[in-house]
C-alpha cells in the first residue's frame, strides 16, 4: 500500500525518519524552496528504469545501502557506492542508479536546475532508443511519469533501430511520480499564496 506523500519542506529534519515516507526514485526536494542547492531524497528498492541527463552538475550521496551509478559515456562507466560515498555527475552526462542493496539516496542539484532528459539505451548495443525532454517548468516527477508512459505506449520506441533488440515496458508499480508531482504542485501553490 502506498504511503502518504510528504508535502512539508523544511530545512531541519532527520533524513532516515523522512526516508520512511519515501519510495523508489521519488527525488523529493526536502529543503525549503529558496535553498540552493536543493537536496532531493529517495528510498530505493529497485533500479532506476531510465538514464537521466541533467543540464547542470549534480552530486549523488549514498548514506544508506549500496548502488551502482552507470554512465552511458565518458572515461568512467560506473561507480559502486557504499554508505558515505559521493559521486559527482557533470552536467550533460547520462547516468542511472542501479540498486545493489536497498537504501537511501541524496541528490544535490541546483534550485533552478534547468532541463533534464530521460533516455533509454539498448541493453545489447548501447544505442539510444528514445529520449524525453523535461523543460524544468514544473516538478520533474511529472516528466519522469510522462516519459515512461510514452515509452511504454509505443513498441517502436522500445525496438533498437541499430540491432533490432526489443526492450520491455517499464514496470511503473514501484514509482509514484504522479502523486509526488501533484503534492509538490499543491505545496508550491500554498506557499506562494
Amino acid at each position: 500500500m502506498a504511503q502518504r506523500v510528504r508535502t512539508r519542506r523544511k530545512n531541519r529534519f532527520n533524513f532516515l525518519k523522512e526516508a520512511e515516507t519515501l519510495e523508489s526514485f521519488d527525488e523529493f526536494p526536502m529543503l525549503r524552496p529558496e535553498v540552493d542547492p536543493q537536496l532531493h531524497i529517495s528510498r530505493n528498492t529497485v533500479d532506476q528504469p531510465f538514464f537521466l541527463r541533467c543540464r547542470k552538475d549534480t552530486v549523488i550521496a549514498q548514506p544508506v545501502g549500496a548502488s551502482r551509478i552507470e554512465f552511458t559515456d565518458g572515461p568512467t562507466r560506473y561507480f559502486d557506492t557504499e554508505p558515505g560515498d559521493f559521486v559527482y555527475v557533470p552536467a550533460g552526462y547520462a547516468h542511472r542508479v542501479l540498486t545493489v542493496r536497498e537504501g537511501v539516496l541524496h541528490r544535490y542539484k541546483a534550485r533552478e536546475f534547468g532541463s533534464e532528459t530521460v533516455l533509454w539505451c539498448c541493453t545489447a548495443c548501447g544505442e539510444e532508443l528514445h529520449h524525453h525532454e523535461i523543460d524544468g517548468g514544473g516538478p520533474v516527477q511529472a516528466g519522469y511519469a510522462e516519459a515512461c508512459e510514452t515509452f511504454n505506449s509505443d513498441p517502436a520506441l522500445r525496438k533498437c533501430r541499430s540491432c533490432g533488440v526489443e526492450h520491455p515496458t517499464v514496470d511503473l508499480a514501484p514509482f509514484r511520480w504522479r502523486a509526488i508531482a501533484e503534492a509538490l504542485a499543491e505545496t508550491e501553490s500554498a506557499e506562494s499564496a
Side-chain angles (χ1 to χ4, degrees):
M1 182 173 155
Q3 294 186 10
R4 187 175 81 74
V5 175
R6 175 188 198 281
T7 56
R8 188 167 168 246
R9 294 166 68 174
K10 51 193 173 184
N11 289 345
R12 187 173 163 187
F13 54 87
N14 176 329
F15 81 86
L16 291 172
K17 183 175 171 127
E18 297 295 338
E20 292 173 5
T21 67
L22 300 173
E23 297 295 336
S24 290
F25 299 98
D26 276 357
E27 295 265 340
F28 196 90
M30 300 299 292
L31 304 174
R32 295 200 37 82
E34 67 274 6
V35 176
D36 190 20
Q38 189 58 234
L39 169 65
H40 300 256
I41 296 183
S42 298
R43 185 185 68 193
N44 296 336
T45 59
V46 299
D47 295 339
Q48 189 173 18
F50 49 74
F51 285 89
L52 184 64
R53 183 181 297 126
C54 300
R55 185 173 181 188
K56 296 183 179 179
D57 299 348
T58 68
V59 174
I60 298 172
Q62 180 85 59
V64 177
S67 301
R68 171 168 279 197
I69 301 170
E70 290 187 332
F71 293 86
T72 58
D73 56 346
T76 302
R77 294 306 177 110
Y78 68 89
F79 287 97
D80 289 329
T81 63
E82 293 284 333
D85 288 343
F86 288 77
V87 176
Y88 167 69
V89 181
Y93 275 77
H95 62 287
R96 72 174 174 169
V97 178
L98 304 177
T99 301
V100 174
R101 192 171 59 246
E102 181 177 337
V104 176
L105 279 185
H106 293 180
R107 181 187 295 269
Y108 297 87
K109 57 185 176 179
R111 182 185 59 178
E112 301 295 331
F113 54 85
S115 62
E116 292 186 1
T117 303
V118 169
L119 62 137
W120 285 268
C121 296
C122 179
T123 56
C125 70
E127 288 297 313
E128 184 179 311
L129 298 173
H130 173 65
H131 70 271
H132 179 90
E133 301 285 333
I134 303 170
D135 68 8
V140 293
Q141 294 83 351
Y144 299 161
E146 183 179 336
C148 290
E149 290 161 2
T150 300
F151 185 73
N152 284 352
S153 70
D154 187 350
L157 299 178
R158 299 190 309 274
K159 184 172 183 177
C160 182
R161 292 172 293 284
S162 180
C163 70
V165 170
E166 293 186 32
H167 296 79
T169 59
V170 174
D171 177 9
L172 294 174
F175 310 106
R176 56 184 193 159
W177 293 313
R178 291 274 181 216
I180 296 293
E182 288 170 12
L184 289 171
E186 288 175 16
T187 300
E188 184 177 305
S189 176
E191 287 174 346
S192 63

